[in-house]
Amino acid sequence: MAINIRTVGPDEIAAFFGVGGIAFSDEWDPDEMEAERGLMATERMVTAEDDGTLVAQGGAFEFEMSVPGGSVPTAGVTWIGVLPTHRRQGILTGMMSHIHEMARQGGEPLAALWAAESLIYPRFGYGLAAPDQEIEIARGQTAWAKPAEPAGGVRLIEARAAAAAFAPVYDGELGRRPGMVPRDEQWWKVRLLDSKERRAGASPLFHVVHEGSSGIDGYVAYRVKHDYSTPLSGGLVKVVELIANSDDAYRALWSYCFNIDLTARIQARHRPMDDPLAWMLADYRQLEVRPLDALWVRLVDVDAALAARRYSAPDAVVFDVIDGQCPWNAGRHRLEGGPDGATCAPSDADPDLRLDVRDLGATYLGGVEFGLLAAAGRVEECRPGAIARADAMFRWRPLPWCPGVF
């Protein structure tokens, strides 16, 4: 029987999640599954059926991702997995095509994802648009380069109050930084879920806010993983999320994390690439940094996506786009844009730049430059000076960041 790629029926939810458990050689934590299930409509869940049996899992959340100067409807691709018995049979390709077509029909110009394996998704048109970093430091090496008196105060709050207290701070960052995903009550429930599986041997989540002159302007959620293997060993502070809307809040929250008793090291994953912490320390070298790939972006509709964001410098560029997965994108597109808006449409004009859609996706949020990709042999400059002009248009600060995996 031929493999049938289709959406999931309402009575197939348990089987759908069961496929994911096998595909990832794991099992869903019941609390995690309940929380995650509330984020996605059944009609956005995609599967592959072989002789009446579900053999694959995938889908897309619906949200408006922040982009330079605004936000864009986005298909948040997730839960992608194929049973080991059915790999290398074109099922993943079929599911991704189905998801992209649903996004196109639903008016979502973008798709975005976090990749379990970084080699898989470039072939489906995804470019690494928002890398991030893991940082770690020994508690004894956290002196500030310029000590300062605190301008506000920090306090612990209860878990049940955390989402409401954190949300305005998160929304403040969302309003200025590309790559972030809005959070309603259900998204906050998932982000702050404190299941045994998420603890992984560490403490429950602790929730701390910073209050400045105008109220709460920063927060941190963290765990502590204790180590009593030797008399001198200490715990590890695992920062789950730290966001601040002011410099005072940022410094105060890190100072809090640096001074938790019975701990020896502080670690935070998925920090933005423009995180200033290293430059604030007395000894720059003490902050250990490891780059990570994070948010991958795909332009489902090149014209609509490029017209939806804003540009730092007014100009016009003609792109010759290569796209083997979404053929409606292939060809030349003339973008004209600036700080106040943009238009983009198919064009017969000579191209300025020739590139794969995945590399256009990498540059889309303004953090990866065309010049860098050209130096890597990934972008062809068809008209002298076009790379510098495109970089001046697309460049955006602050750098893109997506603080939560979806």
Side-chain angles (χ1 to χ4, degrees):
M1 181 178 177
I3 300 293
N4 180 29
I5 307 294
R6 60 174 177 80
T7 54
V8 173
D11 59 343
E12 296 178 310
I13 303 301
F16 175 83
F17 282 103
V19 168
I22 298 171
F24 289 101
S25 303
D26 201 354
E27 64 179 355
W28 278 90
D29 175 87
D31 293 334
E32 188 94 29
M33 186 169 71
E34 179 186 357
E36 291 270 1
R37 173 63 190 91
L39 294 175
M40 186 184 295
T42 304
E43 59 267 23
R44 296 305 296 266
M45 298 180 183
V46 179
T47 190
E49 180 186 6
D50 182 9
D51 196 22
T53 300
L54 304 191
V55 297
Q57 177 195 54
F61 301 124
E62 299 174 345
F63 50 68
E64 290 243 350
M65 187 173 70
S66 60
V67 302
S71 62
V72 175
T74 302
V77 180
T78 190
W79 301 345
I80 302 294
V82 179
L83 293 186
T85 53
H86 286 73
R87 289 176 183 156
R88 312 280 188 293
Q89 297 181 31
I91 293 175
L92 177 57
T93 298
M95 283 205 307
M96 295 302 293
S97 294
H98 191 101
I99 289 169
H100 292 154
E101 182 59 34
M102 282 198 303
R104 183 190 184 202
Q105 295 297 327
E108 294 167 334
L110 292 181
L113 55 78
W114 290 71
E117 297 181 62
S118 57
L119 282 176
I120 294 176
Y121 294 99
R123 74 175 190 260
F124 299 116
Y126 288 81
L128 178 56
D132 63 22
Q133 57 189 340
E134 178 182 290
I135 60 176
E136 188 167 339
I137 191 169
R139 184 182 172 192
Q141 303 296 332
T142 57
W144 298 116
K146 288 188 173 182
E149 290 296 320
V154 296
R155 61 182 174 89
L156 284 154
I157 62 173
E158 295 185 4
R160 64 174 180 266
F166 292 179
V169 177
Y170 181 89
D171 291 345
E173 188 72 355
L174 171 75
R176 75 184 195 98
R177 190 184 286 272
M180 294 181 67
V181 177
R183 292 179 184 168
D184 59 15
E185 183 177 348
Q186 190 66 29
W187 276 99
W188 276 109
K189 180 179 179 180
V190 171
R191 184 60 174 138
L192 298 177
L193 185 66
D194 199 20
S195 64
K196 183 178 180 181
E197 181 176 281
R198 288 202 182 183
R199 292 179 185 180
S203 72
L205 270 180
F206 296 98
H207 310 84
V208 175
V209 296
H210 178 271
E211 289 182 297
S213 58
S214 58
I216 294 175
D217 58 359
Y219 69 83
V220 61
Y222 71 93
R223 307 180 195 278
V224 175
K225 190 164 188 176
H226 294 287
D227 178 7
Y228 301 113
S229 59
T230 69
L232 297 179
S233 63
L236 174 68
V237 179
K238 299 173 71 71
V239 174
V240 174
E241 186 165 286
L242 186 154
I243 293 181
N245 298 151
S246 71
D247 294 341
D248 288 336
Y250 181 86
R251 177 190 286 263
L253 290 167
W254 278 117
S255 291
Y256 175 94
C257 293
F258 292 162
N259 288 284
I260 297 172
D261 287 342
L262 304 178
T263 64
R265 298 187 69 80
I266 300 90
Q267 178 191 80
R269 298 196 75 202
H270 300 308
R271 297 301 303 167
M273 295 302 290
D274 55 358
D275 196 316
L277 183 60
W279 297 93
M280 296 170 67
L281 297 171
D283 189 344
Y284 179 99
R285 187 179 296 182
Q286 295 303 322
L287 189 70
E288 302 168 20
V289 177
R290 183 168 70 93
L292 303 168
D293 67 281
L295 188 71
W296 297 72
V297 169
R298 204 244 196 263
L299 277 63
V300 176
D301 183 330
V302 166
D303 291 326
L306 291 179
R309 59 156 288 182
R310 300 294 177 262
Y311 298 87
S312 293
D315 208 334
V317 178
V318 177
F319 295 101
D320 188 7
V321 177
I322 301 163
D323 192 341
Q325 298 292 321
C326 297
W328 54 85
N329 283 328
R332 298 174 187 177
H333 305 259
R334 184 180 187 274
L335 166 69
E336 183 173 1
D340 298 325
T343 60
C344 190
S347 175
D348 294 327
D350 292 338
D352 294 297
L353 300 175
R354 182 173 292 114
L355 73 174
D356 193 281
V357 71
R358 68 174 179 262
D359 297 312
L360 192 55
T363 64
Y364 181 75
L365 295 179
V368 177
E369 297 192 337
F370 291 96
L372 176 64
L373 298 180
R378 300 173 69 112
V379 174
E380 177 186 352
E381 186 177 53
C382 304
R383 190 188 304 272
I387 285 175
R389 289 171 39 230
D391 276 337
M393 285 184 73
F394 276 68
R395 189 178 296 120
W396 200 265
R397 296 297 181 271
L399 291 175
W401 180 40
C402 187
V405 181
F406 57 82

